[in-house]
Amino acid sequence: MSTTTIRVLVVDDQRMLRESFAVLLDAQPDLEVVGEAANGEEAVRQARDLRPDVVLMDVRMPVLDGLEATRRILAHAPGTKVLVLTTFDDDEYVHEAIRAGANGFLLKDSSAHQLADAIRTTVTGGAVLAPSVTKRLMEDFSQRSAPPGAPSGRLAALTNQEIKVLGLVARGLSNAEIAVHLTVAEQTVKTHVSRILMKLNLRDRTQAAVLAYETGLITPGR
């Protein structure tokens, strides 16, 4: 049985929310809140000092916003995961957060169970994309993308099977679900995903999903 504890830094300018998140997360046996920050500047400083595994990051904050804080944290500690907390009307912030290097995003009104699972997923390299805002986010990316079916130089390095896997990753399927869909072993899917990230110089599944929409490989609703 693993005794590994995931170290979390909670960043939000609203004290009540920040403390509530901390209490909820500390109640999980495998999570530990090692620090709290009320703005991006504090977040950068504490991330450097405390070296958390995951930073739970708000975006709208005084002094320094969550976008710039994310950039600075990842510049100093690229292995740190950043999970952005957002509200339903923060689409453009989420878009820029992913550009800044965030590993995913979650709605602030998510349950304690969803929040804890999102942190665990982020640590293991999975993508965390809140379903209720993902559609609008991806529509935004697709509007800036190549037309559906248009050839993309960025995808030229991928095999046909890797392109299929990329498309399914973009639709939010897990490795296990992709394995069932393609009738292959889950380990084979993991290998494909690793190769896709390496070939396209992507950090994680979130960036892979965004690229699939940007290149026109996937379009919303199809």
Side-chain angles (χ1 to χ4, degrees), residues 54-222:
V54 177
V55 178
L56 204 57
M57 181 73 77
D58 188 17
V59 285
R60 299 181 181 182
M61 295 183 293
V63 185
L64 187 70
D65 67 30
L67 302 178
E68 183 58 29
T70 294
R71 294 187 188 97
R72 295 185 188 184
I73 288 171
L74 295 180
H76 288 288
T80 300
K81 308 295 185 181
V82 177
L83 180 58
V84 171
L85 288 170
T86 180
T87 56
F88 192 71
D89 61 350
D90 274 345
D91 286 4
E92 187 59 31
Y93 283 93
V94 173
H95 179 284
E96 294 304 322
I98 290 177
R99 291 292 196 195
N103 300 88
F105 62 92
L106 195 68
L107 290 176
K108 282 189 175 183
D109 62 359
S110 299
S111 69
H113 176 75
Q114 289 172 323
L115 185 59
D117 278 351
I119 290 172
R120 296 182 186 108
T121 298
T122 300
V123 167
T124 58
V128 178
L129 301 172
S132 56
V133 293
T134 296
K135 182 177 183 293
R136 290 193 298 159
L137 176 67
M138 291 311 179
E139 284 174 347
D140 179 55
F141 276 116
S142 67
Q143 287 169 4
R144 311 173 191 203
S145 73
S152 172
R154 292 204 64 182
L155 302 184
L158 303 183
T159 65
N160 289 336
Q161 189 75 337
E162 287 167 350
I163 289 176
K164 290 179 183 178
V165 171
L166 175 59
L168 294 172
V169 166
R171 296 186 187 282
L173 274 66
S174 67
N175 286 346
E177 291 168 333
I178 294 173
V180 171
H181 187 87
L182 297 179
T183 321
V184 297
E186 185 174 350
Q187 184 58 49
T188 300
V189 175
K190 291 180 181 178
T191 300
H192 283 316
V193 172
S194 295
R195 288 176 178 168
I196 290 167
L197 299 180
M198 179 184 66
K199 287 180 178 182
L200 300 180
N201 194 29
L202 301 172
R203 187 185 61 254
D204 54 33
R205 295 170 77 100
T206 304
Q207 287 193 340
V210 168
L211 181 65
Y213 282 87
E214 286 184 319
T215 57
L217 178 64
I218 298 295
T219 56
R222 293 184 59 188

